[in-house]
Amino acid sequence: MREIGRRGLMSIVLVVLATACVGPSFTVQDYRQKAANAAEAMRSAVETARLVTGAAAEGKTPGRYASLALSEAEMDAGSISESFKVVQPPSQRLQHLREELSAVLDASTSALASLRIAAYRGDDRRLSELAADLPRLSSELARFEHLVPG
Amino acid sequence: MARYLDAGLELLDRQVLDCDGRPVGKVDDLELAIDDRGVPTVLVALLLGPQALGMRVGGRVGRAMAGIASRLAGTERPLAIPVEQVAEIGIVVRLDVSVDELPEAGRLEHWLCDQVVARIPGGRRATE
Amino acid sequence: MKRVLGAALGIFTAIGGFMDIGDLVTDALIGARFGLAMVWVTVVAVIGITVYSEMAGRVATITHRPVFDLVRERMGARLGLANVVVSYLLNALTLVAELCGVALGIELATDVHYLLWVPLVALVTFFVMWRLPFKHMERLYGLVGLFLFVFVVAVWQLGPDWGAMWHDVTHPSVPSGEGLPTYLFYAVVMLGAQMTPYEVFFFSSGAVEHGWTTSDLGQARLNVFIGYPIGGILAIGIQAVAALALQPAGVQVEHLSQSVLPVVMAFGKLGLACAVLGIVAATFGSVLETLLSSGYTAAQHFGWSWGKSVAPSSAARFSVLVIATLIGATAFALTTINPITITIYAVYLGAASLPFTFLPILIVANDRRYLGEHVNGRLANALGVVYLFVVSAAALAALPLLIATKGGL
């Protein structure tokens, strides 16, 4: 009886581990969900950068904080973008979605990288110039979040 | 009227303090004398320390614990405190001997004190 | 005058002791994701931790025997041993999270990578542990931790619609786009962040370290009855500013830099400075509390002599275990494992282990042989039983919710 309990627990742990990993995506619905999640996570990084640069423009952030927050956003963006792109879309029709979203994810990642560099250099003017592009990226990402109903 | 002591509830796992109120350990197990019929009748000693606890817990974990403790202590026998040395059994068990008179009780404590704590600056600072 | 000051200091320490990296991360994360829809969980958690800390403190003050000493008597050898191992590991895991928390806090102000600060924080921890008297240690982080009030003040600065906020608090609903399992998963996480087992271990062991007697019961009660609710207000403040500043933008909090962003938006550099000071002090306090608690649990279970206020040479096994735990936790933190992930896991596992901490306290607090006339009254028992059900339900639901939500996705 005890043996079964232990084995049962092991299998639960294995199931948790298996579902937590990002694996190949099997159904159309799964893939759309993954795309929506990636877009949502990227929008979080972009919006973080927008809020940080907004505060910076008002002279509210010490330079070190801005460059730290932006480099964290950039790192998040890099890993979001990578882990979305390694997933194989299950059908030809979704290949189009993959390309479209990948382009926005890449654009966001490189925008965040430029922001981080400008913040690191303390170049406030460049920072606010670059920040002007963030709302557009954010709204493009928002479009992909509604791929999945509910 | 005789007062009964529930050994499982009121003796096992209780904190043991020496005559100066210093901790000695927990009542990890009990040693009972067996009469000629093979029935345990009289409480002989309180058993303390990881050997006793390991044997009581049993199973793979318990045996491993007892085994390691025996090897470190160099003896199979756990620390036994004869009931004659027990002064009082209440929410703690008080002994009427000092922990210094029970060399096995403080072996690891003394070893760690001399080999580790004393070598760290400030290790010998006083109690607040 | 001196007594008032002493009482106030005790309360401040309780506030500082309440806040830790688990709060700082989960409050901001949940505020940004669920708005104010989980304030009720904080209220529930604060009442629970207050009730059980008071019981544990009362037992320790009167019998001079802290929680873990008694847990074993009530659980027997096997379950007791399992409990001490799990509690020790949980404390050690929380310690890793808190160590990283201090380092992340310093990183916010310096932009020097947090991993470089971890060994330094460990070193300072060692010195405070080894040298600073218990009382001074507590006051140090308790007082500086009050800078966290900047999060509460920031709520006013961000100019909220108070009526709408009150409505969100009193009519909690699952935000659109979030499932009910996810909401419940984070409710369990929130419960774990605010009802941490180490707070109970530390408070009851602290009563013994302070040498409290029956005449100090009033102070002990004051600390928890006032200190913890104020800690709860801080937690709600962090949720509120995240809800105001981050939720509308769709920011998901994954870094401490995002937790403090609302304060930066409200008060700029000065706000950031206050937040960093508060975070560093509160998490540093939790480093000490979790570190000592890992020593307390083991020493009290095996009946060793223990205590920070005792000379290290008179509590050698305890002192060596504490140092070894500090070294181990530092090494683990340096493996570059994600500190925020560690925090969430520590908080989540803490929630699952609560019934094993609470049940023995409730039993002992009703035992006249231990407490005499100071046994639980009707109110304490009623609340105690209700909370035992609450934490048991949370513990049972924890694993299914983790699976159903794939870890809160």
Side-chain angles (χ1 to χ4, degrees), chain C residues 157-204:
Chain C
Q157 184 70 17
L158 291 170
D161 174 351
W162 292 101
M165 270 176 80
W166 180 245
H167 183 267
D168 288 348
V169 171
T170 49
H171 300 76
S173 62
V174 183
S176 64
E178 302 282 2
L180 184 63
T182 315
Y183 180 83
L184 292 176
F185 174 79
Y186 279 105
V188 171
V189 169
M190 178 83 110
L191 209 60
Q194 277 144 13
M195 276 205 223
T196 46
Y198 81 82
E199 277 169 58
V200 181
F201 303 152
F202 184 79
F203 187 70
S204 71

Short mmCIF file of all heavy atoms in Angstrom, two decimals, chain C residues 157-204:
data_model
loop_
_atom_site.label_atom_id
_atom_site.label_comp_id
_atom_site.label_asym_id
_atom_site.label_seq_id
_atom_site.Cartn_x
_atom_site.Cartn_y
_atom_site.Cartn_z
N GLN C 157 -0.06 59.33 -3.48
CA GLN C 157 0.61 60.09 -4.53
C GLN C 157 0.11 59.68 -5.92
O GLN C 157 -0.02 60.51 -6.81
CB GLN C 157 2.12 59.86 -4.43
CG GLN C 157 2.95 60.67 -5.40
CD GLN C 157 2.94 62.15 -5.07
OE1 GLN C 157 2.59 62.54 -3.96
NE2 GLN C 157 3.31 62.98 -6.03
N LEU C 158 -0.22 58.39 -6.06
CA LEU C 158 -0.67 57.92 -7.37
C LEU C 158 -2.13 58.30 -7.62
O LEU C 158 -2.68 57.98 -8.67
CB LEU C 158 -0.49 56.41 -7.49
CG LEU C 158 0.98 55.94 -7.58
CD1 LEU C 158 1.08 54.42 -7.45
CD2 LEU C 158 1.64 56.39 -8.87
N GLY C 159 -2.75 58.97 -6.64
CA GLY C 159 -4.07 59.54 -6.82
C GLY C 159 -5.14 58.60 -7.29
O GLY C 159 -5.68 58.75 -8.38
N PRO C 160 -5.47 57.62 -6.48
CA PRO C 160 -6.45 56.64 -6.95
C PRO C 160 -7.88 57.14 -6.81
O PRO C 160 -8.15 58.12 -6.13
CB PRO C 160 -6.22 55.47 -5.99
CG PRO C 160 -5.78 56.12 -4.72
CD PRO C 160 -5.04 57.36 -5.09
N ASP C 161 -8.76 56.41 -7.46
CA ASP C 161 -10.19 56.60 -7.29
C ASP C 161 -10.58 55.72 -6.08
O ASP C 161 -10.72 54.51 -6.20
CB ASP C 161 -10.90 56.14 -8.57
CG ASP C 161 -12.42 56.15 -8.43
OD1 ASP C 161 -12.92 56.35 -7.29
OD2 ASP C 161 -13.09 55.97 -9.46
N TRP C 162 -10.71 56.38 -4.93
CA TRP C 162 -10.87 55.61 -3.69
C TRP C 162 -12.12 54.75 -3.71
O TRP C 162 -12.12 53.62 -3.22
CB TRP C 162 -10.88 56.53 -2.47
CG TRP C 162 -9.55 57.16 -2.23
CD1 TRP C 162 -9.17 58.42 -2.56
CD2 TRP C 162 -8.40 56.54 -1.64
NE1 TRP C 162 -7.86 58.64 -2.20
CE2 TRP C 162 -7.36 57.50 -1.63
CE3 TRP C 162 -8.14 55.28 -1.10
CZ2 TRP C 162 -6.09 57.24 -1.12
CZ3 TRP C 162 -6.88 55.02 -0.59
CH2 TRP C 162 -5.86 55.99 -0.60
N GLY C 163 -13.19 55.28 -4.29
CA GLY C 163 -14.44 54.53 -4.31
C GLY C 163 -14.28 53.24 -5.10
O GLY C 163 -14.70 52.16 -4.65
N ALA C 164 -13.63 53.35 -6.26
CA ALA C 164 -13.44 52.16 -7.09
C ALA C 164 -12.55 51.15 -6.38
O ALA C 164 -12.78 49.94 -6.42
CB ALA C 164 -12.82 52.55 -8.43
N MET C 165 -11.52 51.68 -5.68
CA MET C 165 -10.62 50.78 -4.96
C MET C 165 -11.36 50.01 -3.88
O MET C 165 -11.19 48.81 -3.72
CB MET C 165 -9.47 51.58 -4.33
CG MET C 165 -8.28 51.71 -5.24
SD MET C 165 -7.01 52.74 -4.51
CE MET C 165 -6.20 51.65 -3.41
N TRP C 166 -12.17 50.75 -3.14
CA TRP C 166 -12.92 50.12 -2.05
C TRP C 166 -13.85 49.05 -2.62
O TRP C 166 -13.99 47.97 -2.06
CB TRP C 166 -13.71 51.18 -1.28
CG TRP C 166 -14.49 50.61 -0.15
CD1 TRP C 166 -15.84 50.59 -0.02
CD2 TRP C 166 -13.97 49.96 1.03
NE1 TRP C 166 -16.20 49.96 1.15
CE2 TRP C 166 -15.07 49.56 1.81
CE3 TRP C 166 -12.68 49.66 1.48
CZ2 TRP C 166 -14.93 48.89 3.04
CZ3 TRP C 166 -12.54 48.98 2.69
CH2 TRP C 166 -13.65 48.62 3.45
N HIS C 167 -14.43 49.34 -3.77
CA HIS C 167 -15.31 48.38 -4.42
C HIS C 167 -14.54 47.11 -4.80
O HIS C 167 -15.00 46.00 -4.58
CB HIS C 167 -15.96 49.00 -5.66
CG HIS C 167 -16.94 48.08 -6.32
ND1 HIS C 167 -16.57 47.24 -7.35
CD2 HIS C 167 -18.25 47.83 -6.08
CE1 HIS C 167 -17.63 46.52 -7.71
NE2 HIS C 167 -18.65 46.86 -6.95
N ASP C 168 -13.33 47.29 -5.36
CA ASP C 168 -12.53 46.12 -5.76
C ASP C 168 -12.15 45.26 -4.55
O ASP C 168 -12.06 44.04 -4.64
CB ASP C 168 -11.23 46.57 -6.44
CG ASP C 168 -11.51 47.14 -7.82
OD1 ASP C 168 -12.66 46.96 -8.31
OD2 ASP C 168 -10.60 47.74 -8.41
N VAL C 169 -11.91 45.94 -3.41
CA VAL C 169 -11.51 45.19 -2.22
C VAL C 169 -12.69 44.39 -1.66
O VAL C 169 -12.55 43.24 -1.28
CB VAL C 169 -10.96 46.15 -1.14
CG1 VAL C 169 -10.76 45.42 0.18
CG2 VAL C 169 -9.66 46.76 -1.60
N THR C 170 -13.86 45.05 -1.63
CA THR C 170 -15.00 44.42 -0.98
C THR C 170 -15.78 43.49 -1.91
O THR C 170 -16.54 42.66 -1.45
CB THR C 170 -15.98 45.47 -0.42
OG1 THR C 170 -16.23 46.42 -1.45
CG2 THR C 170 -15.38 46.19 0.78
N HIS C 171 -15.59 43.65 -3.23
CA HIS C 171 -16.25 42.75 -4.18
C HIS C 171 -15.21 42.07 -5.04
O HIS C 171 -15.12 42.35 -6.24
CB HIS C 171 -17.23 43.53 -5.08
CG HIS C 171 -18.32 44.21 -4.32
ND1 HIS C 171 -18.11 45.38 -3.61
CD2 HIS C 171 -19.62 43.88 -4.13
CE1 HIS C 171 -19.24 45.74 -3.03
NE2 HIS C 171 -20.17 44.85 -3.32
N PRO C 172 -14.37 41.21 -4.45
CA PRO C 172 -13.29 40.62 -5.23
C PRO C 172 -13.84 39.74 -6.35
O PRO C 172 -14.82 39.02 -6.14
CB PRO C 172 -12.53 39.77 -4.20
CG PRO C 172 -13.46 39.55 -3.08
CD PRO C 172 -14.42 40.69 -3.08
N SER C 173 -13.25 39.85 -7.53
CA SER C 173 -13.66 39.00 -8.63
C SER C 173 -12.43 38.59 -9.41
O SER C 173 -11.39 39.26 -9.36
CB SER C 173 -14.64 39.75 -9.55
OG SER C 173 -13.98 40.87 -10.08
N VAL C 174 -12.54 37.49 -10.11
CA VAL C 174 -11.43 37.01 -10.92
C VAL C 174 -11.33 37.90 -12.17
O VAL C 174 -12.32 38.03 -12.89
CB VAL C 174 -11.65 35.55 -11.32
CG1 VAL C 174 -10.48 35.02 -12.11
CG2 VAL C 174 -11.91 34.70 -10.10
N PRO C 175 -10.19 38.55 -12.41
CA PRO C 175 -10.08 39.43 -13.57
C PRO C 175 -10.28 38.65 -14.87
O PRO C 175 -10.00 37.45 -14.91
CB PRO C 175 -8.64 39.95 -13.50
CG PRO C 175 -8.16 39.65 -12.13
CD PRO C 175 -8.95 38.49 -11.65
N SER C 176 -10.78 39.33 -15.91
CA SER C 176 -11.00 38.65 -17.18
C SER C 176 -9.65 38.17 -17.71
O SER C 176 -8.63 38.82 -17.55
CB SER C 176 -11.65 39.59 -18.18
OG SER C 176 -10.76 40.65 -18.46
N GLY C 177 -9.68 37.02 -18.34
CA GLY C 177 -8.44 36.46 -18.87
C GLY C 177 -7.72 35.56 -17.88
O GLY C 177 -6.73 34.92 -18.21
N GLU C 178 -8.21 35.53 -16.62
CA GLU C 178 -7.61 34.63 -15.63
C GLU C 178 -8.65 33.58 -15.25
O GLU C 178 -9.82 33.88 -15.09
CB GLU C 178 -7.22 35.40 -14.37
CG GLU C 178 -6.26 36.55 -14.59
CD GLU C 178 -4.82 36.10 -14.79
OE1 GLU C 178 -4.58 34.87 -14.78
OE2 GLU C 178 -3.96 36.96 -14.95
N GLY C 179 -8.19 32.35 -15.10
CA GLY C 179 -9.09 31.29 -14.69
C GLY C 179 -9.23 31.25 -13.18
O GLY C 179 -8.39 31.78 -12.46
N LEU C 180 -10.29 30.59 -12.71
CA LEU C 180 -10.47 30.46 -11.26
C LEU C 180 -9.34 29.65 -10.61
O LEU C 180 -8.85 30.02 -9.54
CB LEU C 180 -11.84 29.83 -10.96
CG LEU C 180 -12.18 29.73 -9.46
CD1 LEU C 180 -12.28 31.11 -8.82
CD2 LEU C 180 -13.47 28.96 -9.24
N PRO C 181 -8.86 28.54 -11.25
CA PRO C 181 -7.75 27.81 -10.62
C PRO C 181 -6.51 28.69 -10.42
O PRO C 181 -5.85 28.60 -9.39
CB PRO C 181 -7.46 26.68 -11.62
CG PRO C 181 -8.71 26.50 -12.38
CD PRO C 181 -9.35 27.86 -12.45
N THR C 182 -6.23 29.55 -11.41
CA THR C 182 -5.07 30.43 -11.29
C THR C 182 -5.25 31.37 -10.11
O THR C 182 -4.32 31.61 -9.34
CB THR C 182 -4.90 31.26 -12.59
OG1 THR C 182 -5.05 30.37 -13.70
CG2 THR C 182 -3.55 31.92 -12.64
N TYR C 183 -6.46 31.91 -10.01
CA TYR C 183 -6.76 32.83 -8.92
C TYR C 183 -6.55 32.13 -7.58
O TYR C 183 -5.90 32.66 -6.68
CB TYR C 183 -8.22 33.30 -9.06
CG TYR C 183 -8.69 34.26 -8.00
CD1 TYR C 183 -8.42 35.62 -8.10
CD2 TYR C 183 -9.43 33.80 -6.91
CE1 TYR C 183 -8.87 36.50 -7.14
CE2 TYR C 183 -9.88 34.68 -5.94
CZ TYR C 183 -9.60 36.03 -6.06
OH TYR C 183 -10.03 36.90 -5.10
N LEU C 184 -7.06 30.90 -7.47
CA LEU C 184 -6.92 30.17 -6.21
C LEU C 184 -5.47 29.79 -5.94
O LEU C 184 -5.02 29.82 -4.80
CB LEU C 184 -7.80 28.91 -6.24
CG LEU C 184 -9.30 29.18 -6.24
CD1 LEU C 184 -10.08 27.88 -6.37
CD2 LEU C 184 -9.73 29.92 -4.97
N PHE C 185 -4.74 29.43 -7.01
CA PHE C 185 -3.33 29.11 -6.84
C PHE C 185 -2.60 30.30 -6.21
O PHE C 185 -1.86 30.14 -5.23
CB PHE C 185 -2.69 28.77 -8.19
CG PHE C 185 -1.21 28.56 -8.12
CD1 PHE C 185 -0.70 27.35 -7.66
CD2 PHE C 185 -0.32 29.56 -8.51
CE1 PHE C 185 0.68 27.15 -7.58
CE2 PHE C 185 1.05 29.36 -8.43
CZ PHE C 185 1.55 28.16 -7.97
N TYR C 186 -2.85 31.49 -6.75
CA TYR C 186 -2.16 32.66 -6.20
C TYR C 186 -2.70 33.04 -4.81
O TYR C 186 -1.97 33.62 -4.01
CB TYR C 186 -2.21 33.84 -7.17
CG TYR C 186 -1.16 33.68 -8.23
CD1 TYR C 186 -1.48 33.29 -9.52
CD2 TYR C 186 0.18 33.87 -7.92
CE1 TYR C 186 -0.51 33.10 -10.47
CE2 TYR C 186 1.17 33.68 -8.86
CZ TYR C 186 0.82 33.29 -10.14
OH TYR C 186 1.80 33.10 -11.07
N ALA C 187 -3.96 32.67 -4.54
CA ALA C 187 -4.45 32.90 -3.18
C ALA C 187 -3.67 32.06 -2.18
O ALA C 187 -3.31 32.53 -1.09
CB ALA C 187 -5.94 32.58 -3.10
N VAL C 188 -3.36 30.81 -2.57
CA VAL C 188 -2.55 29.95 -1.69
C VAL C 188 -1.14 30.54 -1.53
O VAL C 188 -0.59 30.57 -0.43
CB VAL C 188 -2.50 28.50 -2.24
CG1 VAL C 188 -1.49 27.67 -1.45
CG2 VAL C 188 -3.86 27.86 -2.19
N VAL C 189 -0.58 31.01 -2.66
CA VAL C 189 0.76 31.61 -2.60
C VAL C 189 0.76 32.81 -1.65
O VAL C 189 1.64 32.98 -0.82
CB VAL C 189 1.24 32.02 -4.02
CG1 VAL C 189 2.48 32.88 -3.94
CG2 VAL C 189 1.51 30.79 -4.86
N MET C 190 -0.28 33.63 -1.78
CA MET C 190 -0.39 34.82 -0.94
C MET C 190 -0.50 34.44 0.54
O MET C 190 0.14 35.04 1.41
CB MET C 190 -1.62 35.62 -1.37
CG MET C 190 -1.88 36.85 -0.57
SD MET C 190 -0.87 38.18 -1.18
CE MET C 190 -2.10 39.19 -1.91
N LEU C 191 -1.29 33.40 0.80
CA LEU C 191 -1.45 32.92 2.17
C LEU C 191 -0.09 32.48 2.72
O LEU C 191 0.28 32.80 3.86
CB LEU C 191 -2.41 31.73 2.17
CG LEU C 191 -3.25 31.46 3.41
CD1 LEU C 191 -4.13 32.64 3.72
CD2 LEU C 191 -4.09 30.21 3.20
N GLY C 192 0.67 31.78 1.88
CA GLY C 192 1.99 31.31 2.30
C GLY C 192 2.97 32.45 2.50
O GLY C 192 3.84 32.39 3.37
N ALA C 193 2.82 33.50 1.71
CA ALA C 193 3.76 34.63 1.83
C ALA C 193 3.54 35.37 3.14
O ALA C 193 4.47 35.91 3.72
CB ALA C 193 3.59 35.58 0.65
N GLN C 194 2.29 35.39 3.60
CA GLN C 194 2.01 36.18 4.79
C GLN C 194 1.88 35.37 6.07
O GLN C 194 1.99 35.90 7.16
CB GLN C 194 0.78 37.05 4.53
CG GLN C 194 1.21 38.29 3.78
CD GLN C 194 0.22 38.75 2.77
OE1 GLN C 194 -0.91 38.31 2.76
NE2 GLN C 194 0.64 39.64 1.90
N MET C 195 1.67 34.07 5.92
CA MET C 195 1.65 33.21 7.12
C MET C 195 2.84 32.28 7.00
O MET C 195 2.69 31.11 6.65
CB MET C 195 0.40 32.34 7.11
CG MET C 195 -0.81 32.97 7.65
SD MET C 195 -1.82 31.59 8.19
CE MET C 195 -3.34 32.02 7.65
N THR C 196 4.02 32.77 7.28
CA THR C 196 5.18 31.89 7.11
C THR C 196 5.46 31.16 8.42
O THR C 196 5.44 31.76 9.49
CB THR C 196 6.41 32.69 6.70
OG1 THR C 196 6.49 33.83 7.55
CG2 THR C 196 6.31 33.15 5.28
N PRO C 197 5.75 29.85 8.34
CA PRO C 197 6.02 29.09 9.56
C PRO C 197 7.20 29.67 10.35
O PRO C 197 7.17 29.66 11.58
CB PRO C 197 6.38 27.69 9.04
CG PRO C 197 5.84 27.61 7.67
CD PRO C 197 5.77 28.99 7.14
N TYR C 198 8.19 30.21 9.65
CA TYR C 198 9.37 30.67 10.41
C TYR C 198 9.03 31.84 11.33
O TYR C 198 9.67 32.03 12.36
CB TYR C 198 10.54 31.01 9.47
CG TYR C 198 10.49 32.36 8.80
CD1 TYR C 198 10.93 33.50 9.47
CD2 TYR C 198 10.04 32.50 7.50
CE1 TYR C 198 10.89 34.74 8.87
CE2 TYR C 198 10.00 33.73 6.89
CZ TYR C 198 10.42 34.85 7.58
OH TYR C 198 10.38 36.08 6.98
N GLU C 199 7.99 32.62 10.97
CA GLU C 199 7.60 33.72 11.86
C GLU C 199 7.19 33.17 13.23
O GLU C 199 7.51 33.75 14.26
CB GLU C 199 6.42 34.49 11.27
CG GLU C 199 6.83 35.53 10.25
CD GLU C 199 5.63 36.09 9.50
OE1 GLU C 199 4.73 36.63 10.15
OE2 GLU C 199 5.59 35.95 8.26
N VAL C 200 6.47 32.04 13.21
CA VAL C 200 6.02 31.44 14.46
C VAL C 200 7.20 30.85 15.23
O VAL C 200 7.34 31.06 16.43
CB VAL C 200 4.95 30.35 14.18
CG1 VAL C 200 4.47 29.75 15.48
CG2 VAL C 200 3.79 30.93 13.40
N PHE C 201 8.08 30.13 14.52
CA PHE C 201 9.27 29.57 15.19
C PHE C 201 10.07 30.69 15.83
O PHE C 201 10.52 30.59 16.96
CB PHE C 201 10.21 28.86 14.21
CG PHE C 201 9.59 27.75 13.43
CD1 PHE C 201 10.07 27.42 12.18
CD2 PHE C 201 8.55 27.01 13.96
CE1 PHE C 201 9.51 26.39 11.45
CE2 PHE C 201 7.99 25.98 13.24
CZ PHE C 201 8.47 25.68 11.98
N PHE C 202 10.27 31.76 15.04
CA PHE C 202 11.15 32.82 15.49
C PHE C 202 10.52 33.58 16.65
O PHE C 202 11.19 33.88 17.63
CB PHE C 202 11.47 33.78 14.35
CG PHE C 202 12.44 34.84 14.75
CD1 PHE C 202 13.78 34.56 14.83
CD2 PHE C 202 12.01 36.11 15.10
CE1 PHE C 202 14.70 35.52 15.25
CE2 PHE C 202 12.90 37.07 15.51
CZ PHE C 202 14.25 36.77 15.58
N PHE C 203 9.24 33.86 16.55
CA PHE C 203 8.60 34.63 17.62
C PHE C 203 8.61 33.85 18.92
O PHE C 203 8.90 34.41 19.98
CB PHE C 203 7.16 34.98 17.21
CG PHE C 203 6.50 35.91 18.18
CD1 PHE C 203 6.91 37.23 18.28
CD2 PHE C 203 5.48 35.47 19.01
CE1 PHE C 203 6.31 38.09 19.17
CE2 PHE C 203 4.88 36.33 19.91
CZ PHE C 203 5.30 37.64 20.00
N SER C 204 8.33 32.55 18.88
CA SER C 204 8.29 31.79 20.12
C SER C 204 9.69 31.55 20.67
O SER C 204 9.91 31.61 21.88
CB SER C 204 7.52 30.48 19.93
OG SER C 204 8.26 29.58 19.15
#
